[in-house]
Amino acid sequence: MTVRRDFQEPARCHPDLVIGRGDLFAGARDQLASGGSVLLHGPAGIGKSTVLRALAEEYGATARTVLRCSATESESHLPFLALADLLGLVLDEVSPRLPAAQRTALESALTGRGESSLQRDGLALRLAVLSALRALAARGTVLVVADDLQWLDPASAELLGFAARRLEGTPVQLLCAIRTEGQESQEYDRHLRACPPDTLAVRLGPLSRTQVADLLDHRGHGRLPRSTVREIHRTSGGNPLFALELGRALADRPTPPRPGEPLPVPTSLRALVLSRLDMLSVEARRTLLVASAGARPTPALLHAAGRGNAEAECAQAAELGLLATEPDAPAVRFAHPLISAALYAEAPAHERRAAHAALSTAASDPIERARHLALATTGADPEVAGRLAEAAALARDRGAPSVAAQLGLLAARHTPADGVPGQEERRLTAAEDAITAGEVDLARDIAREVLTRASVPAHRVRAWIIVIDTAGHTMAEVDAVFPQALADAGDDPRLLALVHYQLAWRALIVEGDFTEAREAAAHAAELAARGKDRRTELLSLAFQAQTETLMGHPEAPRTIKRALKEPQDPRVACHHNGAGSARFRWLVMGDQLTEARATVTALLREVRRRGSVESEVHFLRGLAETELRAGHCGRALELARESLRLARDSGIGETASAMLTSLAEASGGDVDRALALAREAVEHAEEDGDQMYLSRALGALGYAQLVAGDPAGTVRSLRRVRQLELGLGITDPARGRWQGDLAEALVRIGEPAEAQDVIDASREHALRLGRDSVLAVLDRSEALVRAAQGDTEAAVAQLTSAQDRLGKLGYGLEEARAAFALARLRGRRPATGVRTPEAARKAAAAFDEATRMFRRCRALPWLRQVDDVPTAPEPEAALAVPDALDALEVLAAMERQVAALVMEGATNREIAARLFISVKTVEATLTRVYRKLGIRSRVDIVRLAAGRRAR
């Protein structure tokens, strides 16, 4: 098909069509924009056609002529069909411009009149295609879009390849896609050789679990439980087409699959992946069914399960492409997870049960044996239920709560109606394991199912607590649950303690009332102590300690000690709401960064061992915050991004992780991303009605705005934080550490009086609580106020003192910011307008020190700020050419360092490596150096250095 740009409206690209392909899409788009060609390749269903259409739609708008073809397998035997698609509609336009022999050959091939063939008209036909493309290109850019190159008829493929290899220097670009199963595919190599020399080959790989979730959501399947989405991702292998087909099949079912049940594999996918299954022998097919039922099948396991000819039968399957061949690997691995799922789904129920029965004795792991026994058994069986419950406990101890939840549900299914423990108790335990694993959707569904049947108060209250827990920071949405839970609790202190502990969280999250939250937590601790529920007592005391710490309450240290007293509950000791977490928060706010890092690292290690996802997200944030305080911005950014990925994957703590990642991005990463994340966190906190995290998110936004050079925006955001924290009753300035940023921004917009008011109010609380780092930051901000009022000498002294104190406390980034403020102060033009050489040298040295500190912190956004500030005024035109040292003083800090390294003889690449910047940044910096020094090249910089040495 041919589309002339003259007759078509410009099309718009739809970025939602390339979910998970942003970087690949951008690279391909840049390649096309630079005049190159692109070859997309990857397995069936991976999204090649989708990306190709999106690129063609966007870039095609800039081309005069777009030539299209999309081959199919059924038509690949028809000669010149693809060529007819490409050139059929422009034949009349190009024919008059072709030599007679070429015109005759091309018309014959495209119209089918005559007996044209590559054997008969080989050279004329090849030259005709080349000439036709050149004729079209003479009037403007030509874009050739060809999908499914593997089905191109051989004649068309040969002609297109001939022309493509000879189009260099001609505005003809190819945008093609081909199916390949591996990077080293012979088909891939053949078609790449047929493309222009400047072709960029782009391999599309599988999507991540988060990207699959986004894709399903975009296509209207976003209501699926996260555990189901995870299974879709595993079964599809990240293939978008397979994932969508599985999601569509699940959406058509009224209920999701039960534990142990396979995903419903649609007929279309079964036909796609099992087309070669009929070529297997009956026995080989049974062997593959046993392998598909096993978790980690090996030849030894298959032998133990009664498959005596496993090796030969697996070899047969491998020859048909059903199994992957890995000589050094002992496992039996399917070529794609979907083959295993489709094979299992295709088998009759009695054959599946037989496979599980065989594996229930063959498997060596007790958890696997119990799972297979359950899937081989129908109906209630107390022995099977007991073995499943034991296996769930073992999985829990191994740190596999997701497995424990699935086994617990299987145990409940096989528990008789009068069994002890009963069905509901086992379901609730499974739901609690699901919460630990981060599968909140599954936990909520289990709890609501229990509530429809349970009459025992303890079971009902426990189910209500699960519903509340799964709400997370959207607790306002489950407000109606609390009266029902209190009614079910009656006057039982153990049950009441559970409810009042949740009421304490409600007071904090929904009402934003720290005082009420503290009182509710203390009451819950008393009730739990009366009911001898040590776990709830410890959680309540830890929560009380957390609120007292944030409030700046004098009882906080004493409450932390109470929460840390023996006996301890191992489930609480490393819980994100436990005493260890409360102690970590106290250490961070009290400037004990080394001990805080050791504490949170140990907590993170333990929760990872236990498989507790929510706690892992929480402690990753805690460790990232500690590294950020210490000025290790690169490490903090890695941890924060990891926390955000895990939070988004599990749906737990997304707002808090977005907020913390924003702080890390603004300090050591990308400021635009920091602003986007902070706004996202603000929006979510407002939607959830979460007053506590709203103030934190606004604090992150204000900081990002300050780094981005928007002090007015900073003032708007942080004024809101100030009002929110006053209303919440938060008095400890170490909680959000936003006060210095607000004061600095106020000075920048010309409001020094308000800045001083913020400093004075915050200093009073910081002095009362002994927050030394906060006091140093407030002094840094107060120095800016003094400088704005003209008291430069006092400002320099105060900044010097603040920098020294922050360095001793280990706050590397804040120390660097103080050094930067001092450098800017020293770099100001004096009132007389004349700066002495000594003053200029001091200013330059101050900027060098700030640059060194920011580089040590890997604080890239701050380094860019230093680079943007000149350290001295432009030289007077009447001055003679200065010596090398004086010449460098007219440069910004980064410019001066680059010039100095050029004087040493370093290449641009060497400079980039030493300064942790890109070569492109070095080149741009040198351009500014040339302009400021009035020179033309790096040779002139070397001459300056040589002249200075000669004198």
Side-chain angles (χ1 to χ4, degrees), residues 61 74 115 117 132 233 238 259 327 391 397 503 547 556 565 590 596 615 620 640 668 671 829-830 879:
S74 62
E115 298 180 357
S117 68
H233 176 259
D397 290 341
L503 283 168
T547 56
K565 277 185 179 180
S615 293
L620 275 171
V671 180
R829 185 190 294 269
L879 291 177

Side-chain angles (χ1 to χ4, degrees), residues 762-826:
S762 305
R763 181 178 283 140
E764 179 183 349
H765 294 298
L767 284 168
R768 174 175 59 85
L769 297 167
R771 304 302 192 217
D772 292 339
S773 63
V774 174
L775 288 168
V777 169
L778 292 174
D779 280 355
R780 183 186 71 202
S781 302
E782 189 171 52
L784 301 180
V785 175
R786 289 181 170 175
Q789 295 170 340
D791 193 352
T792 304
E793 187 175 343
V796 168
Q798 196 167 18
L799 278 173
T800 303
S801 171
Q803 178 184 338
D804 181 63
R805 286 149 55 204
L806 287 165
K808 289 177 179 176
L809 288 168
Y811 283 77
L813 182 57
E814 298 294 356
E815 178 192 10
R817 287 181 62 183
F820 184 31
L822 186 59
R824 295 180 73 163
L825 195 56
R826 291 189 185 280

Side-chain angles (χ1 to χ4, degrees), residues 711-734:
T714 298
V715 169
R716 286 193 300 272
S717 298
L718 298 187
R719 275 175 177 164
R720 284 188 66 190
V721 177
R722 191 181 188 192
Q723 290 301 118
L724 278 169
E725 293 202 351
L726 282 172
L728 290 168
I730 297 174
T731 60
D732 193 334

Side-chain angles (χ1 to χ4, degrees), residues 508 514 549-551 585 588-589 625 629 690-697 721 724-725 728 730-739 771 774:
L508 185 62
F514 273 72
T549 297
L550 297 175
M551 293 168 68
R585 179 56 48 196
V588 168
M589 294 175 68
E625 180 185 354
R629 298 278 175 246
D690 187 342
Q691 298 296 301
M692 182 175 65
Y693 269 113
L694 177 58
S695 66
R696 295 294 304 274
V721 177
L724 278 169
E725 293 202 351
L728 290 168
I730 297 174
T731 60
D732 193 334
R735 187 249 183 178
R737 298 178 182 267
W738 49 266
Q739 299 82 1
R771 304 302 192 217
V774 174

